[in-house]
Amino acid sequence: VDDRVLGRYLEGGIVFEVSERFYGGQLVDVDTALQIAAQYSVVNMVGERVVSRAIELGLVHQAAVMRIEGVPHAMVLRTWI
């Protein structure tokens, strides 16, 4: 999650809490965050910087991004077979 939206409530058809309890922890740069996220099968991304970079790297398709109060949100569900 981008630190700019951490701790906010976003509203736009739904109410989305960008909770510090859920998303908080150690602040790292975007590329490090995405390297860590690549180890998991379920990833939630919130914020312009992280979602844009995930799109650039091919981790998220642009069509899969929803915006809540103008803030991009993407969820990655990965399976390993």
Side-chain angles (χ1 to χ4, degrees), residues 10-80:
L10 306 175
E11 296 186 38
I14 64 169
V15 176
F16 189 93
E17 179 184 5
V18 188
S19 162
E20 290 191 45
R21 190 177 81 225
F22 183 79
Y23 289 103
Q26 182 180 4
L27 288 177
V28 296
D29 64 83
V30 172
D31 287 322
T32 300
L34 291 173
Q35 288 172 354
I36 294 167
Q39 300 172 38
Y40 295 91
S41 58
V42 178
V43 179
N44 283 284
M45 299 177 204
V46 183
E48 198 67 54
R49 290 179 294 180
V50 69
V51 173
S52 294
R53 185 67 176 137
I55 291 168
E56 287 174 19
L57 295 174
L59 301 172
V60 171
H61 190 280
Q62 179 70 39
V65 177
M66 77 182 290
R67 289 188 173 266
I68 308 164
E69 239 183 80
V71 177
H73 172 267
M75 178 181 264
V76 175
L77 302 172
R78 211 180 339 260
T79 60
W80 288 277

